Amino acid sequence: NCLMTAGFALTLRVLTQQHEVKTTTCIACVYAGASVLMFIFAMVVSNNSSLSHFFCPDCQGGFWDFPSEASFALVYWVLGSSVLSYWCLSFGAAHARDATHTLAYTAVQPLSATILQGCLVLFGWNEAHPDVRLNMPGGVQFGGALFVVLGVAFVAGDARIRSQTKVQDTEDAVIDLENDNDSDLDESSQSLSSLIGRTISNSPSALHSQKK
């Protein structure tokens, strides 16, 4: 999953930046391909009882049975975790300084989940839902969160340094171009002056004055 996500971000960057393909077109192609693959996979699994039990051990009414209680979760999964998240990922990959920076969310995602879980526990989730209790994140989770924050800080710092370097390189290139233009202009002026001088010296009036 992580490998395919990274490949998606880098490929989309190339298509949108170098080949000027619209972001929505890229997403549409990805969704079309994924839909075909998932349909083939579902047909194969649904026709094999062993595979059906392996991928869905909790399914009671068959592989295609869908409980109505899961409707909200399915809508969130499709619109939130799929459509919205991939649209944001596509937008970031197309417009970020570096396409790899958009993949920082993979590290921030578990950090956000840990913070949200801790907040739920602090604000009384376990008392209100004793049948679905949550554990307060411990020292290991907070230690991992610290490394995530440091990693994201390094990514942001690298982006800033690269941006400043690129701006400096651009300014240096502009200065070099202006210097080259000034040199070419001086040479052209000298050549023009020399040509005018030769033209004047070779004119009939100048030759007649020299003969006198």
Side-chain angles (χ1 to χ4, degrees):
N1 184 31
C2 295
L3 177 62
M4 292 296 102
T5 303
F8 167 77
L10 296 176
T11 303
L12 189 140
R13 176 74 168 200
V14 173
L15 293 176
T16 55
Q17 295 291 328
Q18 298 183 11
H19 301 283
E20 298 182 354
V21 180
K22 292 184 178 180
T23 304
T24 53
T25 303
C26 296
I27 298 178
C29 293
V30 170
Y31 267 83
S35 299
V36 172
L37 293 176
M38 286 189 290
F39 175 76
I40 296 174
F41 181 82
M43 294 301 296
V44 172
V45 173
S46 63
N47 289 291
N48 188 300
S49 58
S50 299
L51 291 177
S52 298
H53 179 73
F54 177 78
F55 287 104
C56 187
D58 297 330
C59 294
Q60 302 296 330
F63 183 81
W64 295 105
D65 182 57
F66 182 77
S68 58
E69 295 82 4
S71 299
F72 177 79
L74 180 62
V75 171
Y76 169 76
W77 182 261
V78 172
L79 298 181
S81 300
S82 183
V83 176
L84 180 61
S85 63
Y86 270 87
W87 183 87
C88 293
L89 179 61
S90 302
F91 182 85
H95 296 87
R97 295 189 182 98
D98 192 328
T100 57
H101 293 163
T102 59
L103 302 177
Y105 86 95
T106 57
V108 177
Q109 185 177 10
L111 173 61
S112 303
T114 300
I115 294 175
L116 179 60
Q117 179 175 333
C119 292
L120 290 174
V121 174
L122 289 176
F123 288 102
W125 172 272
N126 291 338
E127 290 75 9
H129 305 83
D131 55 332
V132 189
R133 297 181 63 86
L134 298 175
N135 296 323
M136 175 63 75
V140 175
Q141 288 78 12
F142 283 109
L146 177 61
F147 282 107
V148 170
V149 172
L150 290 176
V152 174
F154 283 128
V155 171
D158 177 71
R160 182 180 295 274
I161 292 173
R162 289 190 180 187
S163 177
Q164 293 175 351
T165 303
K166 186 177 294 186
V167 170
Q168 185 63 43
D169 292 341
T170 303
E171 292 177 352
D172 293 341
V174 171
I175 293 174
D176 293 339
L177 181 60
E178 291 177 350
N179 293 334
D180 292 340
N181 291 336
D182 292 339
S183 299
D184 294 340
L185 182 60
D186 292 339
E187 293 177 0
S188 300
S189 300
Q190 293 175 0
S191 300
L192 182 60
S193 300
S194 177
L195 178 60
I196 293 173
R198 289 197 301 269
T199 303
I200 294 175
S201 61
N202 293 331
S203 63
S205 58
L207 293 175
H208 182 70
S209 298
Q210 291 176 1
K211 289 180 179 180
K212 288 183 177 182

